[in-house]
Amino acid sequence: PRYLRTLENCIRVGNPVLLENVEESLDPALEPVLSKQVYKSSGRLLIRLGDTDVDYNQDFNFYVTSKLANPHYPPEICVKVTIVNFTVTPK
């Protein structure tokens, strides 16, 4: 998908990425990013996205938002990320 190319470029240059309107399941291709599976090779920090090794810039940040009122993510996702509930409730 196109967003993976955008993600790859942002990881390389250290730009933040905002993935919006996510449902309760995430693309398995995001696994290395969520787990921060970074490794060193020849003095370079790399992360493997699909079949490509991408230079990893430590300034990179990944944000995910959902419009779901009360999303339930599987435990294997919850242990890899920080979930913040920004739900606004009227008084």
Side-chain angles (χ1 to χ4, degrees), residues 42-62:
S42 302
R44 297 168 35 203
L45 281 178
L46 299 169
I47 190 166
R48 188 156 188 85
L49 277 183
D51 57 354
T52 307
D53 289 334
V54 179
D55 285 302
Y56 184 83
N57 186 315
Q58 292 183 321
D59 293 332
F60 170 75
N61 286 303
F62 187 56

Side-chain angles (χ1 to χ4, degrees), residues 20-41:
E20 297 180 295
N21 303 329
V22 172
E23 298 296 322
E24 290 185 341
S25 64
L26 294 172
D27 186 343
L30 297 175
E31 174 67 26
V33 177
L34 296 177
S35 299
K36 231 176 177 181
Q37 295 174 353
V38 178
Y39 62 95
K40 222 173 199 177
S41 177

